Amino acid sequence: MRSSPCSKPKRRLWFRRDLRVEDNPALAAGVRLGEVVAVFIWAPEEEGPFFPGRVSRWWLSQSLLHLDSSLRSLGTSFITKRSFDTASTLLEIVHSTGATNLFFNHLYDPLSLVRDHRLKELLTARGITVRSFNADLLYEPWEVYDENSRPFTTFAPFWNKCLSMPYDPAAPLLPPKRITTGDVSMCPSDTLVFEDESEKGSNALLARAWSPGWRNADKSLTAFINGPLIEYSINRKKADAATTSLLSPHLHFGELSVRKVFHLVRMKQLVWINEGNRAGEESCNLFMRSIGLREYSRYLSFNHPCSHERPLLSHLRFFPWVIDEGYFKAWRQGRTGYPLVDAGMRELWATGWLHDRIRVVVSSFFVKVLQLPWRWGMKYFWDTLLDADLESDALGWQYISGTLPDGRELDRIDNPQFEGYKFDPNGEYVRRWLPELARLPTEWIHHPWDAPEPVLQAAGVELGSNYPLPIVEIAAAKARLQDALAEMWQLEAASRAAIENGTEEGLGDSSELPLIDFPEEMQMEVHLEPLRITNNSPAVDRRHEDQMVPSMTSSVVRVEEEEVSTDVGNIAGDSRQEVPSNVNFDEAPEREEIDGGSLPTVRDNNVVQHFNPARLQIPVQSMEDSSSSRTERDGGVVPVWSPPTTSSRSEQFVADDTGITSSSYLQRHPQSHQLINWRQLSQTM
DNA sequence: CCAAAGTTTAG
DNA sequence: TAAACTTTG
């Protein structure tokens, strides 16, 4: 009965961030149709500045081991390849295994959008059938549109729409019972190295707290749903308790299917609704909302692929960021003088983890009090977080920075002292992570600078010596922020006027300037006590350019013994900008229908993109272009990701008939609702 | 019933 | 911080 090997379709299955065998549509499709060769390609240099950080690489390595053993026990081998060019490596594997098909699951970060499209063209041109699937989202970004068939630009209506779609997210697929392996005798695996010697010690600690791998992810999900979920609505505000799901790293690497999460949580919710358990019901809503934010981050990334490096609201281009690496360093080290902020930063450093609320606190402090460029902070998160996720982190930082239409107000400064008493009322969190303040009474724990001298003495705290005074006073930060915003609006107005007058070189249209790189070695002298800024401090160094992230290697000092070393940033310091490839999207077809499946594609008729991963420049889909064509659930037709049109109408986030009343802030600054005009940008890029 | 005062909530 | 929602006089 066996057909000859030649006539049997041979699938190649390309794993990326879908490291599971359960509910993996690409895997399921492959298994259904023939022999399968499973592949993982490690080409981190292609990620440009977003080379994974130490903890993230550790997780990946563990997850791959786990997947490898699953695949082997199902009957197939798992090929791993070290590569500097995914495309050529894939071609190589295709040839050496005689594969006729390539299956994989979608990714939505800007780099993958471009790379996957290019790969598909490349392989299709060589007679390989390529199919791609949704394994990462409840609904594909191109399935969710508003009543005018345009993409949503704010979260709440987006999420409402997701929750009221005419069809449910696909039900999870069971793992295959057995996988027929393809011939891999000509395709040896490379041994992948994810850590260097200096990182081993720190990584060993991670294994005590975390268990990567899809089966463990599944266990964590079950444990969460049967445990903390019911109290989630109450507990999620506490910085110090393990009451969140802790699923984000599992989700990032696709060890866990969000669709499974969705269906299990909803089943639980129905039970609680039946029991009349309001808190449980609400907990499910809130938890699913945070899953929704993850969905939205992909949605935004798909519709605005530059969101990881450029503000989505155009006026933010004119914000005069404070360029102060001393601030940056103090923030990273947890030496800002604000206990809640510092505790968070120490926890992040020590564990690669941070409670969601604390992420908001430290990033909002970073942007609003220190006024450092948000991309620096995002990069540091990227390097240190176990669940570092480009789309989610870009969404978070843009939200905090006020560069989203529904983000935090630009002129709002949260006071870490008050937030401290809100999220850590007893100071336990601060005491855990700041041993130098451990003996301070709760009354003063979140504002030691106000404490009477005898109290400080009794607690062994010497401000300015073993714990810093506030690096910037809140009142000074407020004043400074007002100045910066005034300057920003002035420049924005000037620029608009210049453009209207046809004086093309609009004043300070800074996003067109090259991003400024920092010198490799920074001669910041190590001041244990960073300069304090008060109301009468001299002017700070401000710049409008959206700067590159400075190298963190050279500037981090050991302040505590437990700070192993600064491997966190060492990758960032390497020069790995050498992955140039010119991408030309000229030939993209209008509509893709290849073996029933296709992936999001990028197309640009006018411009040959010089694709430099270190600085992605992709023309962005305009609101008007959004195709409204519907997608079938699995492997259906996908709208081509279209280029900007020539129309120059700028997108508005209107707060009109939908009943969103505009705040006084918005009345003063209506531009706060206006998306950056990507079309204009892309024409000059 | 209204308005003021208090409470909650936001990624 | 500030807006929306709830409680109270």
Side-chain angles (χ1 to χ4, degrees):
Chain A
M1 283 307 289
R2 279 199 53 184
S3 48
S4 80
C6 292
S7 66
K8 193 157 189 167
K10 294 170 179 173
R11 314 287 148 174
R12 275 264 342 297
L13 184 69
W14 179 27
F15 280 98
R16 292 102 62 84
R17 263 170 270 145
D18 48 353
L19 304 179
R20 61 176 189 265
V21 300
E22 183 182 50
D23 193 31
N24 187 322
L27 175 63
V31 168
R32 221 168 22 238
L33 292 170
E35 297 175 353
V36 169
V37 174
V39 179
F40 180 84
I41 297 170
W42 174 238
E45 288 79 6
E46 284 185 1
E47 311 296 324
F50 295 100
F51 192 112
R54 186 200 99 221
V55 291
S56 194
R57 276 178 284 125
W58 172 80
W59 190 289
L60 176 60
S61 69
Q62 301 303 301
S63 191
L64 286 171
L65 286 175
H66 193 100
L67 182 63
D68 181 67
S69 87
S70 294
L71 289 170
R72 276 176 205 289
S73 70
L74 286 168
T76 191
S77 50
F78 189 27
I79 305 294
T80 53
K81 287 285 187 185
R82 178 66 170 99
S83 167
F84 293 86
D85 177 26
T86 301
S88 62
T89 304
L90 267 175
L91 275 175
E92 210 179 286
I93 302 171
V94 163
H95 288 140
S96 64
T97 59
T100 53
N101 304 61
L102 174 69
F103 289 179
F104 61 91
N105 293 309
H106 291 156
L107 295 176
Y108 310 89
D109 64 283
L111 215 111
S112 300
L113 287 171
V114 173
R115 177 177 41 201
D116 294 355
H117 171 65
R118 191 175 137 236
L119 275 168
K120 196 175 72 166
E121 286 193 326
L122 195 73
L123 289 162
T124 304
R126 304 195 181 204
I128 306 295
T129 304
V130 181
R131 291 186 66 189
S132 58
F133 303 85
N134 170 18
D136 195 47
L137 296 173
L138 300 175
Y139 299 103
E140 291 280 20
W142 50 89
E143 291 177 75
V144 186
Y145 285 113
D146 68 11
E147 63 276 10
N148 302 316
S149 303
R150 294 153 112 227
F152 290 99
T153 50
T154 50
F155 173 68
F158 163 81
W159 187 230
N160 286 336
K161 175 73 182 186
C162 289
L163 292 175
S164 60
M165 291 286 277
Y167 51 97
D168 269 350
L173 305 161
L174 291 173
K177 294 202 171 59
R178 174 136 197 99
I179 301 174
T180 313
T181 185
D183 180 12
V184 296
S185 57
M186 305 299 286
C187 185
S189 275
D190 298 331
T191 305
L192 303 185
V193 179
F194 293 99
E195 60 183 12
D196 62 38
E197 285 304 317
S198 70
E199 297 172 335
K200 282 190 172 149
S202 319
N203 285 349
L205 293 173
L206 290 171
R208 290 197 207 163
W210 298 93
S211 305
W214 69 273
R215 281 191 185 282
N216 296 319
D218 203 54
K219 279 184 213 155
S220 304
L221 174 64
T222 310
F224 174 67
I225 287 180
N226 294 325
L229 175 59
I230 195 164
E231 306 258 82
Y232 185 78
S233 62
I234 304 158
N235 284 336
R236 79 208 156 92
K237 290 167 203 154
K238 294 178 189 160
D240 199 29
T243 51
T244 55
S245 74
L246 305 179
L247 292 175
S248 54
H250 295 296
L251 285 167
H252 170 76
F253 287 105
E255 297 174 358
L256 191 59
S257 152
V258 278
R259 294 187 292 244
K260 182 169 184 179
V261 175
F262 174 86
H263 287 290
L264 287 182
V265 169
R266 206 170 56 167
M267 278 197 288
K268 201 75 182 176
Q269 188 176 34
L270 289 174
V271 171
W272 286 333
I273 287 174
N274 260 337
E275 294 171 355
N277 186 335
R278 292 281 310 167
E281 182 190 351
E282 184 59 9
S283 288
C284 291
N285 285 337
L286 286 165
F287 178 67
M288 280 316 297
R289 185 179 186 275
S290 66
I291 296 289
L293 283 162
R294 179 182 174 282
E295 296 272 309
Y296 188 58
S297 73
R298 270 81 179 139
Y299 187 80
L300 264 192
S301 176
F302 178 76
N303 288 305
H304 307 280
C306 294
S307 58
H308 66 297
E309 69 167 16
R310 292 184 190 287
L312 285 181
L313 295 175
S314 59
H315 53 273
L316 253 289
R317 288 183 292 158
F318 302 101
F319 189 91
W321 300 104
V322 171
I323 303 308
D324 186 323
E325 293 180 26
Y327 281 7
F328 189 28
K329 186 165 62 183
W331 179 77
R332 295 194 308 260
Q333 295 175 339
R335 298 188 59 79
T336 68
Y338 290 92
L340 187 65
V341 174
D342 293 339
M345 295 309 291
R346 306 266 182 104
E347 180 184 18
L348 173 58
W349 177 256
T351 67
W353 178 260
L354 215 46
H355 189 290
D356 179 54
R357 294 288 164 138
I358 306 302
R359 295 185 196 203
V360 172
V361 169
V362 299
S363 55
S364 143
F365 182 84
F366 184 92
V367 172
K368 299 296 178 67
V369 178
L370 301 179
Q371 292 166 38
L372 294 167
W374 60 271
R375 292 178 57 245
W376 294 12
M378 191 177 92
K379 179 61 164 61
Y380 184 74
F381 268 27
W382 177 261
D383 286 336
T384 51
L385 276 172
L386 211 42
D387 58 9
D389 181 284
L390 195 52
E391 297 94 311
S392 290
D393 293 348
L395 175 66
W397 281 90
Q398 294 235 21
Y399 170 80
I400 290 301
S401 311
T403 70
L404 290 174
D406 52 353
R408 287 262 246 265
E409 304 286 9
L410 268 171
D411 54 357
R412 166 176 165 183
I413 288 189
D414 289 302
N415 191 323
Q417 175 185 337
F418 300 148
E419 294 189 302
Y421 287 106
K422 202 150 67 177
F423 303 132
D424 181 32
N426 304 315
E428 287 153 16
Y429 180 71
V430 164
R431 289 194 188 91
R432 161 150 12 166
W433 293 107
L434 301 178
E436 62 267 47
L437 299 185
R439 294 165 60 205
L440 211 55
T442 302
E443 189 187 355
W444 306 108
I445 192 105
H446 289 299
H447 55 134
W449 57 88
D450 290 328
E453 195 49 44
V455 173
L456 289 171
Q457 258 174 27
V461 177
E462 210 178 314
L463 289 180
S465 161
N466 66 356
Y467 187 74
L469 282 158
I471 182 175
V472 177
E473 284 169 7
I474 296 299
K478 279 184 182 164
R480 205 169 68 167
L481 185 60
Q482 289 308 324
D483 293 348
L485 290 174
E487 192 181 333
M488 178 187 83
W489 290 118
Q490 212 177 335
L491 287 168
E492 195 265 350
S495 160
R496 242 172 339 136
I499 286 166
E500 272 157 31
N501 293 338
T503 327
E504 208 32 62
E505 291 308 315
L507 234 174
D509 198 353
S510 56
S511 66
E512 322 246 343
L513 297 173
L515 299 179
I516 292 177
D517 222 334
F518 274 78
E520 280 298 301
E521 217 57 49
M522 283 172 295
Q523 302 89 337
M524 293 297 304
E525 76 260 43
V526 179
H527 28 243
L528 267 172
E529 207 42 44
L531 285 173
R532 299 188 68 210
I533 295 289
T534 52
N535 268 319
N536 43 14
S537 293
V540 284
D541 179 17
R542 290 181 177 281
R543 290 186 229 165
H544 296 88
E545 296 86 1
D546 206 2
Q547 286 81 6
M548 293 295 282
V549 182
S551 156
M552 284 169 265
T553 323
S554 47
S555 58
V556 180
V557 229
R558 292 166 189 246
V559 281
E560 314 271 307
E561 313 83 79
E562 76 251 23
E563 289 198 4
V564 185
S565 86
T566 66
D567 41 71
V568 158
N570 68 358
I571 303 296
D574 295 341
S575 55
R576 71 195 114 66
Q577 58 276 48
E578 314 301 337
V579 201
S581 53
N582 293 336
V583 185
N584 187 343
F585 302 117
D586 279 356
E587 312 301 333
E590 276 299 313
R591 197 58 90 208
E592 317 252 338
E593 269 184 274
I594 297 154
D595 197 8
S598 55
L599 71 152
T601 53
V602 187
R603 186 168 58 118
D604 190 317
N605 293 324
N606 322 315
V607 195
V608 174
Q609 296 288 310
H610 294 282
F611 184 59
N612 173 4
R615 191 193 169 199
L616 279 170
Q617 296 182 328
I618 309 168
V620 177
Q621 165 149 25
S622 65
M623 298 304 182
E624 298 95 311
D625 296 334
S626 345
S627 161
S628 55
S629 81
R630 261 314 192 63
T631 315
E632 291 153 41
R633 305 275 277 268
D634 187 52
V637 178
V638 166
V640 170
W641 197 46
S642 359
T645 63
T646 42
S647 127
S648 65
R649 189 168 134 270
S650 68
E651 302 84 354
Q652 287 270 352
F653 288 100
V654 211
D656 47 17
D657 41 338
T658 46
I660 308 163
T661 43
S662 47
S663 69
S664 60
Y665 181 80
L666 286 179
Q667 276 157 5
R668 276 180 286 135
H669 301 296
Q671 293 91 332
S672 296
H673 263 247
Q674 196 170 340
L675 256 198
I676 196 161
N677 190 338
W678 290 102
R679 229 169 283 105
Q680 231 156 39
L681 265 184
S682 65
Q683 276 155 18
T684 49
M685 278 199 301

